[in-house]
């Protein structure tokens, strides 16, 4: 635990010992105030003025900004005594800034993260950072099995977050016209070899099948892992769907299945020229929008991004599920990651009851109808299944169908305090394997396994 905290502290110090910039719900830039300052203090009590702060990594993205602004506008309309201020930063800065804020004691009242981040940030302080929400949930009547991703929010017997926003998984978008020109039926893409064959048709013209992130971005791990590694190994870091016990003896990184998946990905990128290496996911999306590649591996949020860029593009875009993976004669269903955004309640919050009311309301049908505008799938399963939602989000709804009919259990990175360290080990390994240097897959994964075992033994 000391090792994890020291590394996070180092990252925080590197980012600078100041709180991140924030925005009010109208997008006006402000500065995050320390929890003890007048600005951050709230009076509480029925009808009294209350200011809540809400920290999120996605507010810089237009679809999320629009959805969150609508949430705040509607909630403050219903509760005129409440003001909600946003702490936001881009993806690259958000996580270090959050570490800095927690260690300084001026984190937001409500903190939005992904499930794999919960344990890392809660463990920054010896007594924990987040409130156990079980008493709030039990008295609220919320049925947590109706919230997608809620099962990932319990750590060491404590419910440290609420899945009250939205979720997504991944599928393969395609340009209809490009596939038609090559005589490719998208419904024929059932396995990784079918996908490779489709990409080959474009490599013949000096193009690529899709953009693939190969850089220091975490996508260098997650794209390969979701499409190939986890389906055959059932766990990049640990077996059995990334479940515990999380011990050095159970490290799964260098399993024969993961080595095979890495070697296949190398062949796809370097020998077959199926994927074009790019530094960031935005670059692979641009390639797709500009008709330079026929495929883009992405989630439901990409639908909203595309509409925002050019609604006319939607007429030329289709969607199929991630392919099955055939390994040693056996077929494995995809088990791509479940990406729910969940919210934690800080122990430093001066008005936890008011903060919980906002968190609880976010899970309601009314709020989830507004959340749907973010491009992800609302966490409230009941609402996401209504004719109202389906009618306005036909393409996004396909992801729910994929999860139910085409995929096996969705898998997320293990929600343990060491996860950020494990992730960095894998970023370094995959960069070496999938960049031009093409480091030997087995050697790199054996070395990564040793590093992870050392981390787990600390």
């Amino acid at each position: 635990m000391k090792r994890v905290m020291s590394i996070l502290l180092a990252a925080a110090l590197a980012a600078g010992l100041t709180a991140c910039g924030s925005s009010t719900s109208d997008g006006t830039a402000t500065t995050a105030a320390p929890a003890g300052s007048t600005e951050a203090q709230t009076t509480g009590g029925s009808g009294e003025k209350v200011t809540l702060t809400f920290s999120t990594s996605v507010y810089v993205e237009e679809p999320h900004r629009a959805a969150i602004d609508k949430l705040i506008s509607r909630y403050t309309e219903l509760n005129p005594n409440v003001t909600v201020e946003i702490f936001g930063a881009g993806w690259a800065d958000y996580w270090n800034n959050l570490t800095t804020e927690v260690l300084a004691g001026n984190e937001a009242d409500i903190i939005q993260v992904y499930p794999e981040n919960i344990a890392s940030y809660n463990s920054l302080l010896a007594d924990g950072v987040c409130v156990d929400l079980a008493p709030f949930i039990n008295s609220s009547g919320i049925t947590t099995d109706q919230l997608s991703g809620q099962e990932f929010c319990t750590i060491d017997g404590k419910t440290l977050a609420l899945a009250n926003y939205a979720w997504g998984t991944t599928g393969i978008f395609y340009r209809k016209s490009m596939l038609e020109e090559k005589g490719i039926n998208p419904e024929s893409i059932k396995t990784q070899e079918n996908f490779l064959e489709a990409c080959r048709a474009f490599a013949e013209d000096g193009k690529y099948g899709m953009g693939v992130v190969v850089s220091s971005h975490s996508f260098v791990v997650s794209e390969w892992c979701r499409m190939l590694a986890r389906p055959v190994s059932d766990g990049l870091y640990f077996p059995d769907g990334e479940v515990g016990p999380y011990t050095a003896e159970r490290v799964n990184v260098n399993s024969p299945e993961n080595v095979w998946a890495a070697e296949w990905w190398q062949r796809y990128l370097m020998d077959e020229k199926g994927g074009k290496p790019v530094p960031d996911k935005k670059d692979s999306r641009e390639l797709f929008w500009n008709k330079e590649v026929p495929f883009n591996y992405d989630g439901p949020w990409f639908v909203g991004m595309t509409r925002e860029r050019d609604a006319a593009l939607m007429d030329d875009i289709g969607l199929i599920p991630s392919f099955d993976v055939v390994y040693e004669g056996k077929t494995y269903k995809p088990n791509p990651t479940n990406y729910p955004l969940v919210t934690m309640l800080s122990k430093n919050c001066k008005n936890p009851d008011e903060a919980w009311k906002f968190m609880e309301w976010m899970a309601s049908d009314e709020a989830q109808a507004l959340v749907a505008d973010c491009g992800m799938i609302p966490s409230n399963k009941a609402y996401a299944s209504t004719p109202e939602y389906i009618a306005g989000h036909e393409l996004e709804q396909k992801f729910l169908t994929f999860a139910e009919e085409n995929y096996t259990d969705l898998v997320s990175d293990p929600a343990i305090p060491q996860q950020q360290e494990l992730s960095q080990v894998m970023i370094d390994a995959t960069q070496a394997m999938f960049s031009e240097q093409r480091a030997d897959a087995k050697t790199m994964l054996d070395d990564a396994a040793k590093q992870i075992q050392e981390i787990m033994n600390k």
Side-chain angles (χ1 to χ4, degrees):
M1 187 67 69
K2 290 180 180 179
R3 176 182 173 85
V4 175
M5 290 181 67
S6 66
I7 288 175
L8 291 174
L9 177 58
L13 292 174
L17 292 176
T18 57
C20 70
S22 68
S23 299
T24 60
S25 60
D26 64 1
T28 305
T30 63
T31 301
S37 74
T38 303
E39 181 180 343
Q41 292 282 1
T42 57
T43 57
S46 176
E48 296 185 26
K49 294 294 183 181
V50 173
T51 298
L52 301 174
T53 51
F54 180 28
S55 174
T56 174
S57 66
V58 297
Y59 194 67
V60 293
E61 300 174 17
E62 184 55 38
H64 288 289
R65 177 188 288 265
I68 292 170
D69 283 349
K70 288 177 183 177
L71 284 172
I72 293 173
S73 176
R74 178 56 178 158
Y75 188 77
T76 54
E77 179 184 350
L78 295 171
N79 300 273
N81 64 308
V82 177
T83 299
V84 181
E85 296 179 353
I86 299 294
F87 284 22
W91 178 272
D93 298 321
Y94 179 76
W95 307 102
N96 281 343
N97 287 348
L98 179 55
T99 300
T100 303
E101 293 162 6
V102 168
L103 294 175
N106 65 353
E107 72 275 9
D109 299 320
I110 301 165
I111 305 168
Q112 191 178 69
V113 296
Y114 295 95
E116 58 264 34
N117 308 126
I118 296 172
S120 295
Y121 287 98
N122 190 59
S123 67
L124 282 172
L125 302 180
D127 295 330
V129 174
C130 313
V131 173
D132 184 354
L133 298 177
F136 287 106
I137 292 172
N138 292 339
S139 62
S140 71
I142 288 179
T143 305
T144 54
D145 61 0
Q146 278 292 309
L147 299 178
S148 183
Q150 187 61 41
E151 65 271 25
F152 303 123
C153 296
T154 299
I155 309 294
D156 295 331
K158 295 182 179 180
T159 304
L160 298 180
L162 185 69
N164 61 350
Y165 188 66
W167 69 280
T169 185
T170 40
I172 301 173
F173 292 89
Y174 63 89
R175 296 300 295 259
K176 296 176 183 177
S177 58
M178 294 182 74
L179 295 196
E180 287 172 2
E181 288 172 6
K182 293 293 184 179
I184 299 171
N185 178 4
E187 299 301 322
S188 70
I189 300 174
K190 301 296 185 183
T191 71
Q192 84 275 11
E193 292 299 329
N194 298 150
F195 182 69
L196 175 57
E197 184 179 357
C199 292
R200 280 192 188 121
F202 295 90
E204 292 170 357
D205 297 336
K207 293 187 176 183
Y208 296 83
M210 70 175 182
V212 175
V213 176
V214 180
S215 67
S216 59
H217 196 291
S218 60
F219 272 29
V220 69
V221 181
S222 64
E223 288 186 324
W224 156 73
C225 179
R226 284 177 280 154
M227 294 189 88
L228 283 173
R230 275 200 179 117
V232 294
S233 68
D234 201 28
L236 179 62
Y237 299 101
F238 300 94
D240 307 318
E242 302 289 1
V243 300
Y246 300 110
T247 61
E249 295 75 21
R250 298 188 74 244
V251 170
N252 200 48
V253 166
N254 60 338
S255 69
E257 296 85 356
N258 283 330
V259 172
W260 170 83
E263 291 173 342
W264 194 97
W265 200 240
Q266 287 178 320
R267 178 164 67 95
Y268 172 74
L269 288 171
M270 300 163 206
D271 299 334
E272 303 286 355
K273 303 297 182 182
K276 181 176 183 178
V278 296
D280 194 272
K281 189 62 183 175
K282 66 181 181 181
D283 300 298
S284 58
R285 290 166 177 155
E286 288 287 343
L287 290 173
F288 182 80
W289 284 327
N290 294 332
K291 289 190 74 172
E292 296 179 57
V293 298
F295 298 111
N296 180 47
Y297 186 61
D298 225 319
W301 44 85
F302 185 64
V303 178
M305 291 177 181
T306 302
R307 286 199 185 105
E308 180 186 342
R309 180 184 176 88
D310 183 355
L313 289 175
M314 296 304 301
D315 293 334
D316 192 39
I317 291 178
L319 177 65
I320 55 176
S322 294
F323 45 71
D324 293 343
V325 181
V326 179
Y327 170 67
E328 293 191 343
K330 183 177 178 181
T331 300
Y332 297 83
K333 283 186 170 294
N335 62 353
T337 303
N338 185 356
Y339 283 103
L341 277 162
V342 301
T343 52
M344 306 184 299
L345 175 58
S346 168
K347 289 182 176 179
N348 277 339
C349 178
K350 303 301 180 183
N351 285 276
D353 290 336
E354 291 289 347
W356 168 254
K357 288 177 184 177
F358 178 55
M359 293 170 65
E360 179 184 16
W361 176 80
M362 281 179 61
S364 69
D365 284 2
E366 178 184 25
Q368 291 281 284
L370 302 176
V371 166
D373 290 339
C374 77
M376 298 172 74
I377 299 170
S379 290
N380 185 321
K381 297 177 186 177
Y383 175 75
S385 300
T386 61
E388 172 193 352
Y389 173 74
I390 295 171
H393 302 84
E394 185 175 352
L395 200 56
E396 294 98 318
Q397 177 70 13
K398 283 191 174 184
F399 285 94
L400 186 58
T401 302
F402 294 167
E404 293 174 345
E405 299 180 3
N406 301 92
Y407 299 166
T408 186
D409 293 340
L410 300 177
V411 176
S412 294
D413 289 345
I416 55 178
Q418 300 93 331
Q419 180 53 37
Q420 287 180 293
E421 285 189 89
L422 307 192
S423 177
Q424 187 59 56
V425 169
M426 287 309 303
I427 288 173
D428 294 340
T430 47
Q431 269 192 289
M433 291 189 297
F434 304 144
S435 65
E436 290 183 357
Q437 72 183 85
R438 193 175 184 159
D440 180 74
K442 188 173 189 314
T443 300
M444 293 307 303
L445 293 180
D446 282 345
D447 183 60
K450 290 178 182 177
Q451 293 181 60
I452 290 174
Q453 287 166 349
E454 291 174 1
I455 292 168
M456 298 309 299
N457 278 328
K458 294 295 183 180

